[in-house]
Amino acid sequence: MTTDTLPYELRPGSNCRDEFRSAYENRYTWDSSFPGYQGVFVLEFDRSHVTGNFLLGSDLKAKINSTNDEKYSNEILAQLRDISIHRVRRNFEDTHANKTFEAGDTNELGTKIIVGGQNSSDFYRIKDNIITMVHRHIHGNIITVSTQSVIKTGEGYLSQKYSSKYKDPLTGKQLGETKYYTDTFTGFEQIGYWVLSQRIVKSDNDSQFIKKLNFTKLKPA
């Protein structure tokens, strides 16, 4: 990762709201003028190919217009929703107004940002004005996402390589395998926004991908 570094090291226990806000606002997001786009998807897994046409509208709602295998429509829709959720632009104070942010230890992933107040068991890590780790309680589980590399768009960063794992909040036991993602983005000049063109997913026990998703023949909605 190569972005501007902080001019000082955050001390454990110090208020780091401004530093976290800066990293939060440095993410690449779509603004209210996002027009939506459509195209062709190809999902590869277990020697299977699922293809079809999709639409991601200006309202950020996803739709499958056609596919050669309807039973995988929800899988494609889930991926499209994941894309749109991470591109939504939310005001920092609207999202984090009732929280405090305190610096913890620092390691190779960056400085730990301990959340207080609402969602007080969550934490993040930041480094070089990038959120490098997210550790949150979501839908009854703990999810930890660690970012290994990003690309810079000139309007914020996009996570390029990252991993995710789930744990039981009561036992701390990991649920399932750690998943490793590699995302490829395209600067879609026709609409003026960056969009996902490929996602490759691997797991701890697989040298080959367990899932590959391509979005091609993109055009405005």
Side-chain angles (χ1 to χ4, degrees), residues 44-219:
E44 299 178 47
F45 66 101
D46 294 336
R47 300 180 182 178
S48 298
H49 285 66
V50 182
T51 65
N53 299 305
F54 74 92
L55 168 70
L56 186 58
S58 58
D59 57 1
L60 303 185
K61 293 183 179 179
K63 180 181 179 182
I64 302 300
N65 293 323
S66 65
T67 177
N68 67 335
D69 198 333
E70 290 287 348
K71 66 183 177 183
Y72 293 106
S73 292
N74 287 337
E75 168 70 18
I76 305 300
L77 286 171
Q79 294 294 322
L80 289 167
R81 291 189 192 106
D82 182 71
I83 293 167
S84 62
I85 285 171
H86 288 92
R87 298 288 79 81
V88 173
R89 183 170 299 180
R90 295 186 177 92
N91 181 274
F92 179 83
E93 290 301 330
D94 290 343
T95 305
H96 298 292
N98 298 319
K99 303 172 188 176
T100 61
F101 301 92
E102 179 182 302
D105 67 282
T106 298
N107 62 20
E108 67 278 2
L109 277 176
T111 300
K112 186 175 185 179
I113 308 297
I114 303 166
V115 180
Q118 185 182 9
N119 306 116
S120 59
S121 56
D122 294 347
F123 70 84
Y124 302 85
R125 286 191 183 274
I126 61 172
K127 183 179 182 180
D128 300 342
N129 207 27
I130 291 168
I131 299 174
T132 55
M133 176 181 282
V134 176
H135 179 91
R136 294 183 58 197
H137 289 68
I138 300 177
H139 303 310
N141 293 320
I142 299 173
I143 181 172
T144 302
V145 178
S146 302
T147 297
Q148 286 76 50
S149 67
V150 303
I151 62 171
K152 295 183 290 182
T153 69
E155 299 178 21
Y157 71 88
L158 286 160
S159 295
Q160 184 179 38
K161 291 187 177 182
Y162 53 98
S163 62
S164 69
K165 58 185 177 182
Y166 288 82
K167 289 186 177 181
D168 184 300
L170 297 178
T171 65
K173 181 179 179 180
Q174 184 165 329
L175 305 173
E177 297 178 309
T178 301
K179 299 291 179 61
Y180 300 90
Y181 298 80
T182 301
D183 285 354
T184 301
F185 295 90
T186 299
F188 192 179
E189 294 182 0
Q190 286 181 281
I191 64 172
Y193 294 83
W194 287 75
V195 301
L196 184 73
S197 56
Q198 183 183 79
R199 172 167 291 168
I200 297 174
V201 187
K202 297 182 178 181
S203 69
D204 283 324
N205 298 324
D206 290 279
S207 58
Q208 301 296 319
F209 69 85
I210 58 174
K211 180 166 53 182
K212 180 190 290 185
L213 181 60
N214 288 290
F215 296 105
T216 64
K217 299 181 180 179
L218 303 178
K219 58 184 180 180

